Amino acid sequence: MKTALAITHVAFEDLGSLAGVLKNCDFSIEYCDATTADLQSIDACAPDLLVVLGGPIGVYESASYPFVHDEIALLSKRLARRLPTLGICLGSQLMAAALGGRVHPGGNGKEIGWAPVFAAPDAQASNPLRPLFEPDVKVLHWHGDTFELPAEVRLLASSAQYPYQGFAVGEYALALQFHAEAQATALERWYVGHACELAHAGIDVSVLRAQSREEAPKLELQATLLWKGWLERAFAAVTR
């Protein structure tokens, strides 16, 4: 049985739809809370799959949240070994930092809500995000930060608001600025956990909830294809 380690920053931002796919692929799943765990004691290369999930802090806020340094170091070691690694939202920003990209507040404001992502022109032939580019599919965006694209990565997707929405490192690492794992029922915890952010952004929770009920089931169907396809490619590319 393969092992998957998921690093969280807030408990309600979990693996979502990816969890079921991993279980069906015979992965055992372990969660690790970045805010309280001894990240320096974790062997970066031990799990078969490492997933770094989202959270409401910035990579550049390491003075307030020192564990950010340890996460970046963990990712640097793992990526250097070319092992299967997935970053979602904050996780993608941490991956960008580990690869030398600068993470900073976005100049186009908060991107929160359901909107499509579009294939990067140079990545269409072998784009692992292809299932998400169907005309009726939208993904959940929930971020205010962005990053400079690191050298030697492949841009996969953009949105109307921010150009860097997904990138790949070879076939073994994938970074998603958006939330492909989102599920409508689970998002009820997000509306409470991020209540202050939503209010400050002027977002009506009832409207966002209605959109989620409409869009999340379509996303989950396509995200399942994404997860399965990427896992197959990532592990085919790795020799331990």
Side-chain angles (χ1 to χ4, degrees):
M1 177 176 285
K2 293 186 177 69
T3 58
L5 176 63
I7 297 180
T8 63
H9 304 89
V10 287
F12 55 83
E13 294 199 30
D14 57 21
L15 288 168
S17 65
L18 177 56
V21 173
L22 290 175
K23 290 175 183 176
N24 288 337
C25 293
D26 293 324
F27 279 82
S28 64
I29 298 171
E30 179 183 353
Y31 281 96
C32 169
D33 181 350
T35 68
T36 58
D38 179 6
L39 296 177
Q40 294 183 21
S41 70
I42 296 175
D43 182 349
C45 302
D48 294 296
L49 172 66
L50 177 67
V51 185
V52 183
L53 294 164
I57 65 170
V59 171
Y60 46 83
E61 296 181 298
S62 58
S64 298
Y65 308 103
F67 62 83
V68 167
H69 288 299
D70 295 332
E71 283 191 276
I72 293 173
L74 186 71
L75 281 164
S76 296
K77 292 176 184 177
R78 186 171 179 88
L79 293 169
R81 287 285 303 275
R82 304 174 64 88
L83 297 173
T85 307
L86 171 65
I88 295 175
C89 200
L90 174 56
S92 73
Q93 297 161 13
L94 288 161
M95 283 180 62
L99 292 164
R102 184 175 70 91
V103 181
H104 55 89
N108 297 327
K110 293 274 188 181
E111 186 175 33
I112 301 177
W114 292 87
V117 288
F118 309 99
D122 296 335
Q124 294 191 35
S126 59
N127 198 319
L129 303 187
R130 184 183 297 274
L132 305 184
F133 301 142
E134 294 296 324
D136 62 339
V137 174
K138 298 177 181 179
V139 302
L140 179 66
H141 301 273
W142 203 309
H143 71 106
D145 292 345
T146 188
F147 49 81
E148 295 175 353
L149 198 67
E152 300 181 4
V153 307
R154 184 163 53 111
L155 179 65
L156 299 176
S158 303
S159 73
Q161 194 165 341
Y162 282 98
Y164 302 145
Q165 291 287 345
F167 66 80
V169 190
E171 298 289 352
Y172 62 90
L174 179 66
L176 306 178
Q177 175 64 86
F178 55 89
H179 292 276
E181 83 285 8
Q183 296 174 301
T185 301
L187 286 174
E188 293 296 331
R189 295 177 291 167
W190 294 44
Y191 306 144
V192 176
H194 294 311
C196 292
E197 182 181 25
L198 291 171
H200 189 264
I203 293 174
D204 187 327
V205 174
S206 62
V207 173
L208 182 57
R209 178 182 291 113
Q211 292 172 340
S212 297
R213 288 174 177 169
E214 174 70 20
E215 303 297 343
K218 292 184 287 186
L219 172 61
E220 186 166 355
L221 286 174
Q222 297 305 109
T224 297
L225 299 177
L226 158 63
W227 304 135
K228 289 179 178 178
W230 179 73
L231 288 168
E232 181 177 345
R233 291 166 67 163
F235 281 92
V238 171
T239 302
R240 276 190 177 264

